[in-house]
Amino acid sequence: MTTTVGKGKTGPAKYKVIGTRPIRPDGLDKVTGRAKYGADVQMGGLLHGAILRSPHAHARIKKIDTSKAEAFEGVKAVVTANDIPSASGQPINLGETMGNPQTLAENVLAKSKALYKGHAIAAVAATSPHIAEAAVKLINVDYEVLPAVLDVREAMKEDATLLHEGQMTASRVEGDSKLKPSNIAAHSQFKGGDIDAGFKEADVVVEREYTTKPVHQGYIEPHNSTAWWAPDGNLTIWKSTQGPFVVRAQVAAILGIPASTIKVVPMEIGGGFGGKITTYLDPVAALLSKKTGYPVKLVMSRKEVFEGSGPASGTFMRAKIGANKDGRITALQAYYAFEAGAFSGSSVGAAAMCAPAPYNVENFQIDGYDVVVNKPKVAAYRAPGAPQGAFAIESAIDELADKLGMDPLEFRRKNAPKEGDRQITGIPFPVIGCIEVEEAIKATDHYKSLLGGPNRGRGVAMGYWFNAGMQSSATVNVTSDGGVSLITGSVDIGGSRASLAMQAAEVLGLKAEDIHPSVADTDGIGYTGVTGGSRTTFSTGIAVINAAEDINLQMVQRAAKIWETQPEEVEYADGVFTSMKNPQDKITFKELAGKLPGTGGLVTASATSDPKGVGPAYAGVIVDVEVDPETGKVDVTRATIVQDVGTAAHPSYVEGQMQGGLVQGIGWALNEEYFFSKDGAMQNSSFLDYRIPTSLDLPMIEVVVVEVPNPGHPFGLRGVGEVGIVPPLSAVANAVSHAIGVRMPNLPITPASVIEAIESKTKS
């Protein structure tokens, strides 16, 4: 069930195409199996690669002997980290995180140390995947096994085993200088007002510790890469990725070659959620291709995906929040320690900025620590950092409302920010929909309904994500039959080809079906940022709009030429050009397109965008649960997500993004975790043991679409893909806490942890 609330919903539709539900242009190929994904790449002379991975979570690499593998029949080449030049250069903007060329290279192939079980050590190219897999087992590595550091709190201790002996804590916090190496890669702080005075003013204070475990993005398609390093020095890479231009930048930095010599061809992508931005296989496939003179394909197994690519951070957090008896928050303090995995670069900064954003707080201090541990280097996962950060804040907020005897939603509404209020960064909020979302939650049938029955609980929570802009490019071409081709550099994960085509159609006065969208490679379009950060329909959409407006201008000029009049005397509306001087002179877009070859040739337009009017997004979630007190099993019986989307370009895709975020958040709250042995080996590296929710675990997801148009976009669009995953973790935890009468500060909420909580309550 979907409900839409917001401006412009009581009268006629504001747009003719935006807000409709056309069939997605890539749908037929995908349902018939014609769509080509990264692992489907085939070509003459193709070799197959395999990677040797470390069996240890922390070990010094003393020697690598590849001689037996190189002598194995069918093997064409072997590479190690010694084949990678010394990577250098400026940090690379990966869209949702930053990448350091040196650590990216060391993550691709370990040099002096293996820093997690699954860390790539060497790779083989052979005439078949079976030969390659057999050959890597012949590579002999002499390891000096070192103690593994697996918990963020243990890693932060002064006597902890160091992953990187030369790493110092990067900090700009006053009085925080440390002159000796540490596993704490960075310390950041946001501070405002008078935190001590704020807590003195409070009538009620809640202070609690929280933990979350690393979780996987859950994409179905594994990582893949096929590389062909041609004799002329040009490198072509075919792969499933969220950002071909970002892959190009990473490979160029790691291999020390010009980006202009690299072409990345994005294939269809079987899910990403942020996890398919970082490069893992591309430099290795490229080096093997260079050595052999043939194209080389690498495809991860599911076990390799879990052990050798990036999950979201595990965390240890503290939240302390005070409020007066009237329900106004007087002070907020938070401590976030985020696991970065083997190399620095967690999303702790985003957590610190996003988690308190649903609240207008004058007195605050938030400290964030980026900490390395012997686990896979973390990667972006849908609003990276925000779900964990919100879990701590929203859980404490809920407990605070309980102690004050206030409705949890009313408490949130009383402290909600509005346009002009300052974020913790000091920057004022633009037009936002926090209050509108909370009012829509309160108006839902779900929130008004009675729970009924024992062992049931209801939880609510709010979430925020900045959304992003970044640069995009688009090209629009008009064909002589009146069709329009739309070319962008944005990989389509969640239906962006359709939403971009719809924006072009709206501007051009055509139907969505008249626009034929495609995704180009890095040589076929101008620079375009990643499909991530909830930016694609917003930012690439603006590039599309700019190009389409240019097309309209050119078409008006052609009509004026035909009618021997001035362009300003031609009007264009709803697909028809009309002479203002002689109103009987009319011509449709398609008719005019047929006359273009004789009036100067077909028209084309290219445009870029780098928009600053990004519209941040809020979402709220209501979850009902039923807990079995004998087994500890938690069943989600009802779930509703309410989200401000600005304007729903394609409502079906908007609803799907909202539902998907809520479902992933439920999995994060109840089921999902990387489970490690004491020596750092992941014990559940398959979808059999790492259990994501299925339809059998879920109720029908109810959706309420709130539309507070974003003034930074011509159609009012906001990014919708990420904020939906932010509130479910805490909403579920709050619901379970209400059901059993004990707070659940640790995720996932497993049956064992529920039984333990119930027993602790009984004993007390």
Side-chain angles (χ1 to χ4, degrees):
M1 182 179 74
T2 300
T3 304
T4 302
V5 297
K7 301 175 182 178
K9 289 297 158 188
T10 56
K14 186 175 181 181
Y15 305 112
K16 291 183 169 56
V17 180
I18 298 297
T20 63
R21 303 173 187 254
I23 296 173
R24 62 187 300 163
D26 54 318
L28 184 61
D29 283 350
K30 287 180 175 175
V31 299
T32 58
R34 288 200 301 265
K36 298 299 181 185
Y37 294 81
D40 295 326
V41 173
Q42 296 291 338
M43 60 189 70
L46 182 67
L47 300 177
H48 299 269
I51 292 180
L52 176 70
R53 298 182 179 274
S54 171
H56 308 293
H58 195 190
R60 203 174 306 279
I61 300 171
K62 299 172 71 174
K63 183 181 179 182
I64 303 176
D65 183 357
T66 62
S67 58
K68 290 183 179 179
E70 289 169 328
F72 196 69
E73 185 176 355
V75 170
K76 300 298 181 182
V78 179
V79 296
T80 67
N82 291 332
D83 293 288
I84 298 178
S86 297
S88 61
Q90 297 297 315
I92 300 168
N93 186 347
L94 303 182
E96 297 190 316
T97 56
M98 297 297 291
N100 178 289
Q102 183 177 349
T103 57
L104 285 169
E106 291 180 10
N107 196 37
V108 164
L109 285 173
K111 194 168 183 67
S112 59
K113 268 186 174 184
L115 293 169
Y116 54 93
K117 184 189 181 298
H119 199 166
I121 305 296
V124 168
T127 53
S128 79
H130 308 294
I131 292 174
E133 289 167 8
V136 293
K137 297 176 183 177
L138 300 176
I139 298 174
N140 183 41
V141 184
D142 185 6
Y143 293 104
E144 177 190 346
V145 180
L146 303 170
V149 184
L150 300 172
D151 180 81
V152 67
R153 286 161 287 187
E154 293 297 318
M156 296 176 76
K157 293 180 178 178
E158 290 196 1
D159 61 350
T161 300
L162 295 175
L163 274 70
H164 308 283
E165 285 79 2
Q167 177 178 275
M168 303 287 186
T169 303
S171 176
R172 294 183 179 177
V173 180
E174 185 177 350
D176 190 48
S177 61
K178 293 181 175 65
L179 301 178
K180 65 177 187 176
S182 171
N183 288 324
I184 303 173
H187 174 201
S188 58
Q189 185 181 84
F190 296 91
K191 193 173 183 179
D194 188 331
I195 192 77
D196 293 329
F199 281 117
K200 286 179 181 177
E201 185 186 344
D203 295 307
V204 178
V205 175
V206 168
E207 183 174 11
R208 198 176 283 274
E209 295 180 347
Y210 305 90
T211 66
T212 67
K213 298 293 182 64
V215 295
H216 191 263
Q217 295 86 350
Y219 41 81
I220 301 301
E221 177 200 30
H223 291 274
N224 55 76
S225 180
T226 300
W228 166 226
W229 201 321
D232 62 4
N234 289 311
L235 172 62
T236 303
I237 297 169
W238 296 262
K239 69 170 297 160
S240 298
T241 175
Q242 293 177 238
F245 288 90
V246 170
V247 169
R248 185 180 71 176
Q250 292 176 86
V251 173
I254 292 170
L255 298 181
I257 59 177
S260 58
T261 64
I262 305 171
K263 178 169 74 173
V264 179
V265 183
M267 308 298 290
E268 293 289 354
I269 183 170
F273 309 107
K276 287 184 181 168
I277 297 174
T278 304
T279 186
Y280 300 104
L281 303 176
D282 314 296
V284 180
L287 289 171
L288 288 169
S289 177
K290 186 176 184 180
K291 272 196 170 186
T292 62
Y294 291 95
V296 175
K297 180 196 288 188
L298 285 165
V299 180
M300 285 189 184
S301 66
R302 182 60 56 189
K303 184 178 179 66
E304 287 180 302
V305 170
F306 275 111
E307 296 184 351
S309 65
S313 296
T315 69
F316 170 74
M317 302 174 288
R318 285 196 295 266
K320 180 181 179 182
I321 307 176
N324 62 25
K325 60 184 178 182
D326 295 328
R328 184 176 63 84
I329 296 173
T330 60
L332 184 152
Q333 188 170 12
Y335 170 103
Y336 292 143
F338 271 49
E339 294 176 356
F343 301 97
S344 62
S346 72
S347 298
V348 67
M353 288 185 278
C354 290
Y359 307 98
N360 188 24
V361 183
E362 293 182 5
N363 307 307
F364 58 86
Q365 180 177 320
I366 303 176
D367 289 273
Y369 295 88
D370 182 41
V371 185
V372 294
V373 292
N374 291 119
K375 296 178 182 178
K377 168 72 178 76
V378 300
Y381 178 16
R382 208 167 188 169
Q388 302 100 307
F391 169 59
I393 298 297
E394 290 295 309
S395 297
I397 287 286
D398 198 74
E399 188 172 357
L400 197 58
D402 283 348
K403 289 182 179 294
L404 287 167
M406 289 186 67
D407 176 270
L409 189 58
E410 182 57 31
F411 181 80
R412 288 171 168 84
R413 172 65 183 82
K414 185 180 285 284
N415 292 281
K418 61 185 181 304
E419 180 184 359
D421 289 339
R422 293 194 178 273
Q423 306 171 53
I424 65 166
T425 58
I427 300 171
F429 279 108
V431 175
I432 54 174
C434 185
I435 293 172
E436 288 82 352
V437 166
E438 289 168 348
E439 289 175 343
I441 294 173
K442 197 167 185 178
T444 61
D445 174 71
H446 185 174
Y447 198 75
K448 294 175 182 177
S449 67
L450 298 176
L451 269 171
N455 306 315
R456 297 188 179 188
R458 174 170 296 159
V460 298
M462 288 292 293
Y464 169 88
W465 182 247
F466 332 86
N467 290 343
M470 299 189 284
Q471 185 177 338
S472 288
S473 301
T475 296
V476 176
N477 301 307
V478 179
T479 59
S480 59
D481 62 356
V484 175
S485 71
L486 170 62
I487 305 167
T488 73
S490 291
V491 173
D492 185 353
I493 298 181
S496 58
R497 270 174 290 209
S499 64
L500 295 173
M502 292 170 71
Q503 293 179 72
E506 189 73 54
V507 174
L508 294 171
L510 303 175
K511 296 178 181 178
E513 294 78 10
D514 295 327
I515 313 298
H516 307 284
S518 61
V519 181
D521 60 51
T522 54
D523 281 357
I525 194 70
Y527 180 86
T528 298
V530 300
T531 297
S534 299
R535 63 167 294 278
T536 305
T537 298
F538 166 73
S539 180
T540 306
I542 291 177
V544 169
I545 290 168
N546 292 340
E549 288 175 342
D550 190 352
I551 290 292
N552 280 347
L553 179 61
Q554 293 184 59
M555 295 290 278
V556 164
Q557 291 171 341
R558 296 299 181 88
K561 185 175 183 179
I562 292 171
W563 293 327
E564 298 182 348
T565 187
Q566 298 302 312
E568 55 268 25
E569 294 179 339
V570 175
E571 183 180 56
Y572 179 57
D574 299 331
V576 178
F577 298 88
T578 304
S579 171
M580 298 168 65
K581 191 174 182 180
N582 298 300
Q584 68 274 17
D585 288 337
K586 295 178 182 290
I587 189 169
T588 67
F589 187 97
K590 292 188 176 184
E591 290 170 342
L592 180 56
K595 297 179 181 295
L596 292 178
T599 61
L602 296 171
V603 301
T604 184
S606 295
T608 62
S609 67
D610 190 8
K612 306 306 177 189
V614 178
Y618 284 89
V621 163
I622 320 167
V623 171
D624 292 356
V625 301
E626 184 171 5
V627 179
D628 185 334
E630 294 185 359
T631 65
K633 185 176 185 296
V634 176
D635 288 317
V636 177
T637 58
R638 189 171 184 182
T640 301
I641 180 166
V642 182
Q643 183 174 322
D644 172 24
V645 306
T647 299
H650 192 304
S652 296
Y653 297 155
V654 168
E655 293 155 10
Q657 290 288 345
M658 293 168 64
Q659 291 167 331
L662 176 51
V663 168
Q664 286 182 311
I666 289 172
W668 201 331
L670 294 178
N671 305 108
E672 299 181 40
E673 64 174 309
Y674 272 48
F675 189 85
F676 290 94
S677 65
K678 291 182 180 180
D679 61 359
M682 187 180 178
Q683 300 295 286
N684 59 332
S685 54
S686 74
F687 277 144
L688 178 64
D689 298 311
Y690 181 96
R691 205 175 75 79
I692 61 177
T694 71
S695 59
L696 300 177
D697 302 305
L698 301 161
M700 294 297 292
I701 305 298
E702 299 171 47
V703 173
V704 178
V705 175
V706 175
E707 294 188 316
V708 179
N710 169 26
H713 186 280
F715 302 137
L717 273 57
R718 298 178 192 270
V720 301
E722 291 174 279
V723 71
I725 200 175
V726 180
L729 284 66
S730 37
V732 171
N734 291 336
V736 174
S737 298
H738 293 151
I740 66 175
V742 184
R743 282 283 153 182
M744 302 300 292
N746 305 306
L747 298 184
I749 301 172
T750 62
S753 68
V754 172
I755 292 297
E756 184 179 344
I758 293 173
E759 290 177 348
S760 69
K761 176 186 174 184
T762 304
K763 290 176 182 177
S764 62

